[in-house]
């Protein structure tokens, strides 16, 4: 028997990899999934402006992530991003012109 849980249309579902969550925590895994989504979109667009040093990139600040993930404070997001970098799950760069 299948059960469907109604989700209001104004609500967003958060997806994450449980293996990543075990390593870095659920919040960091959710952030990583969001970054992976946007990087994959940039790859599909084959945007030269988002391709640097052999990788496709996307940009978001801790402040903007705090708006997206409104249950997390900006400092928590910064710690999650650092944890993802420390575990080599995320790389950062600065390609501002």
């Amino acid at each position: 028997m299948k059960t469907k849980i109604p989700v209001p249309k104004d609500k967003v579902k958060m997806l994450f990899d449980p293996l990543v969550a075990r390593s870095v925590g659920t919040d960091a895994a959710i952030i990583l999934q969001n970054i992976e989504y946007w990087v994959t979109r940039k790859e599909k667009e084959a945007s030269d402006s988002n391709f640097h040093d052999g990788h496709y990139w996307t940009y978001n600040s801790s402040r903007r992530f705090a708006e997206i993930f409104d249950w997390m404070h900006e400092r928590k997001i910064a710690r999650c991003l650092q944890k993802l970098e420390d575990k080599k799950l995320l790389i950062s760069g600065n390609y501002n012109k």
Side-chain angles (χ1 to χ4, degrees):
M1 176 177 168
K2 287 188 176 183
T3 303
K4 185 175 181 181
I5 300 171
V7 177
K9 293 187 186 239
D10 65 336
K11 301 295 179 192
V12 177
K13 295 179 185 179
M14 296 292 154
L15 303 174
F16 62 91
D17 183 331
L19 294 175
V20 174
R22 282 190 206 102
S23 175
V24 294
T26 304
D27 288 339
I30 290 170
I31 293 169
L32 182 64
Q33 182 64 37
N34 180 271
I35 293 168
E36 288 176 348
Y37 168 80
W38 285 107
V39 168
T40 300
R41 278 196 58 178
K42 301 299 179 190
E43 285 178 325
K44 288 179 181 175
E45 293 170 7
S47 171
D48 288 340
S49 66
N50 295 99
F51 189 78
H52 305 281
D53 297 333
H55 301 281
Y56 281 94
W57 297 82
T58 190
Y59 169 81
N60 247 339
S61 65
S62 294
R63 178 177 293 149
R64 179 66 181 118
F65 276 127
E67 292 171 8
I68 296 167
F69 306 118
D70 60 0
W71 70 92
M72 284 189 257
H73 192 278
E74 196 175 325
R75 289 185 307 266
K76 165 81 173 187
I77 290 166
R79 286 192 305 271
C80 288
L81 292 169
Q82 187 60 56
K83 191 182 295 187
L84 290 166
E85 282 192 70
D86 292 346
K87 294 280 189 171
K88 308 288 187 224
L89 297 171
L90 183 69
I91 55 175
S92 63
N94 188 340
Y95 298 100
N96 295 332
K97 292 183 180 182

